[in-house]
Amino acid sequence: MRRTSTDVNGPDTPPAPRSGGRRDRWADHREQRRQELVAAAVQALLRHGPGVDMDQVAATAGVSKPVLYRYFADKAQLWLAVGEVVAARVVDAIAPAVEQVREERALVEATIDAYLSVIESEPTLYRFLVHESGLPGLQQVVSGTSRQVATGLARVIGDRLRALGLDAGPAEPWAYGLVGFVQAVGDWWTTHGQPIRRAALTDYLTTLLWSGIEGVRRGADLPPELTRAHERIDR
């Protein structure tokens, strides 16, 4: 029977290309199949936990194990690709929440809640991303994700500080500190089986972090009417 292009166990060696277009189509096909295998690895991870092996991934994908090794040199390379997918989900959840908020306390709260929502909805994937970071290259993925979130957060915090007539210098260290702080607490939260409701934990962390930011604002030489206006907003 003739194989179709959707047969994941089909031939993986391209015919001799006759044109640039044909090469491009083969590259697109290969990338699509690679993404399908990564998606299968994610599902296998959710089904079997962080101890999942390549046989289980292959079974979930409906392919033989040699097919996996045509796309990934070893297990570490596959898990690196999975880590990139999980990291992208974290960024996709947090970035819109940060961009939509303009008041300072709400900005802190939205960032924390968005991060915790990822952990709450996909704890197995989160634990994999954090606790398997010893795999080659995965630590760079984790660091890159933190840096991407912190950079976006720093930009928004800087804009808010400038709008208040304050020095925007603290924006970047505050952003990195906020991300690191929430990551550490999030790790504790998921490791202990989420013993506190997400809404309550978000409120606890927001209150603690906001106290520091609010103290800086109150310590600045701001016109009294501006300070009072923001007090009304915060309430």
Side-chain angles (χ1 to χ4, degrees), residues 27-174:
D28 291 343
H29 168 72
R30 183 174 176 82
E31 179 58 26
Q32 179 182 350
R33 291 191 63 184
R34 188 177 187 278
Q35 291 175 5
E36 290 170 356
L37 294 174
V38 171
V42 170
Q43 291 305 310
L45 178 62
L46 291 172
R47 185 178 302 167
H48 301 288
V52 62
D53 59 31
M54 295 292 271
D55 288 315
Q56 291 166 325
V57 173
T60 302
V63 302
S64 63
K65 193 160 66 170
V67 170
L68 289 179
Y69 287 112
R70 292 173 191 161
Y71 291 86
F72 305 97
D74 52 27
K75 183 178 179 180
Q77 192 177 87
L78 172 60
W79 292 140
L80 177 59
V82 170
E84 290 170 347
V85 169
V86 177
R89 292 186 184 183
V90 173
V91 174
D92 289 346
I94 296 176
V98 171
E99 291 295 336
Q100 291 172 10
V101 174
R102 287 297 174 263
E103 297 306 328
E104 298 95 318
R105 193 182 197 283
L107 169 64
V108 173
E109 183 176 23
T111 304
I112 293 171
D113 186 64
Y115 191 87
L116 293 179
S117 72
V118 176
I119 300 175
E120 184 179 53
S121 62
E122 299 183 301
T124 300
L125 294 182
Y126 179 81
R127 284 196 297 270
F128 166 79
L129 183 63
V130 173
H131 295 291
E132 297 298 324
S133 57
L135 290 173
L138 197 52
Q139 180 58 51
Q140 286 74 16
V141 172
V142 175
S143 299
T145 302
S146 301
R147 186 164 52 251
Q148 187 173 352
V149 172
T151 299
L153 190 57
R155 184 178 63 255
V156 177
I157 292 175
D159 289 344
R160 295 304 303 149
L161 290 173
R162 283 186 287 271
L164 289 170
L166 298 176
D167 176 19
E172 190 168 1
W174 279 356

Side-chain angles (χ1 to χ4, degrees), residues 184-196:
V185 176
D187 189 30
W188 166 84
W189 189 53
T190 189
T191 299
H192 288 78
Q194 302 177 9
I196 303 173

